[in-house]
């Protein structure tokens, strides 16, 4: 069971990630977003989490050792020390760029979001959301 009803955005940062094949590059934000007001935080939380309707969720994977999965490694560092959020978000964005070689991948905003008070399988946990938008709809 996944329950986001009491979830709260703790930190959020937005980077711009392009297509590596087209050499579009990565533009890193200079700082973490300062969200003013609960209404904006609630709206963003709904924007990020409402697409998750099913009880399916996925785990990081690597053939030999999950600690060799770059995204897992960078995300783990955020959980170990929240001060690393900014730097690790840049590492995740750059890694995404390095993997973005398919011709149909477009430039877009890449959000790294630290979320508190999530309930997964009846356990209260913190989460990190990684979201990329490629259109402005």
């Amino acid at each position: 069971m996944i329950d986001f009803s009491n979830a709260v955005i703790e930190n959020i940062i937005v980077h711009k990630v392009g297509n590596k094949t087209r050499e579009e590059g990565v533009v890193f934000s200079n700082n973490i977003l300062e969200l003013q007001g609960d209404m904006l935080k609630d709206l963003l939380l709904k924007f990020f989490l409402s697409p998750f309707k099913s009880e399916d969720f996925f785990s990081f994977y690597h053939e030999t050792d999950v600690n060799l999965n770059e995204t897992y490694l960078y995300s783990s560092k955020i959980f170990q020390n929240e001060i690393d959020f900014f730097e690790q978000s840049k590492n995740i964005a750059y890694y995404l760029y390095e993997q973005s070689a398919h011709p149909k991948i477009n430039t877009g905003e890449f959000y790294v979001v630290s979320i508190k008070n999530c309930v997964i399988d009846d356990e209260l946990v913190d989460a990190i959301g990684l979201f990329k938008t490629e259109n402005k709809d």
Side-chain angles (χ1 to χ4, degrees):
M1 177 182 133
I2 300 173
D3 180 10
F4 295 120
S5 61
N6 293 317
V8 178
I9 292 177
E10 188 74 15
N11 288 310
I12 183 171
I13 193 163
V14 184
H15 304 293
K16 187 174 183 179
V17 177
N19 184 296
K20 185 175 180 180
T21 304
R22 293 191 294 265
E23 299 179 0
E24 295 171 334
V26 181
V27 179
F28 298 114
S29 291
N30 293 325
N31 48 32
I32 296 170
L33 291 177
E34 297 290 330
L35 299 178
Q36 303 297 320
D38 289 338
M39 187 171 151
L40 179 57
K41 288 181 182 180
D42 291 344
L43 185 64
L44 283 172
L45 195 63
K46 184 176 181 180
F47 171 74
F48 290 128
L49 300 179
S50 63
F52 298 100
K53 302 283 185 212
S54 72
E55 293 298 315
D56 293 335
F57 57 94
F58 302 92
S59 299
F60 291 109
Y61 174 79
H62 192 274
E63 289 93 19
T64 57
D65 183 353
V66 73
N67 291 304
L68 297 175
N69 179 301
E70 284 91 356
T71 307
Y72 174 81
L73 176 67
Y74 302 139
S75 299
S76 295
K77 288 182 179 182
I78 293 171
F79 286 117
Q80 292 167 8
N81 185 357
E82 280 191 36
I83 296 171
D84 288 341
F85 180 80
F86 178 75
E87 193 61 35
Q88 298 310 322
S89 75
K90 289 173 31 178
N91 289 336
I92 296 169
Y94 186 74
Y95 181 70
L96 175 62
Y97 173 72
E98 287 295 315
Q99 305 308 307
S100 297
H102 191 281
K104 292 194 177 198
I105 294 175
N106 295 317
T107 298
E109 288 75 32
F110 177 62
Y111 303 84
V112 180
V113 184
S114 172
I115 305 169
K116 302 283 185 189
N117 301 327
C118 303
V119 176
I120 298 178
D121 292 336
D122 297 321
E123 183 179 347
L124 186 64
V125 297
D126 297 334
I128 295 173
L130 307 174
F131 309 94
K132 183 173 181 229
T133 57
E134 294 181 351
N135 58 44
K136 306 291 185 211
D137 287 348

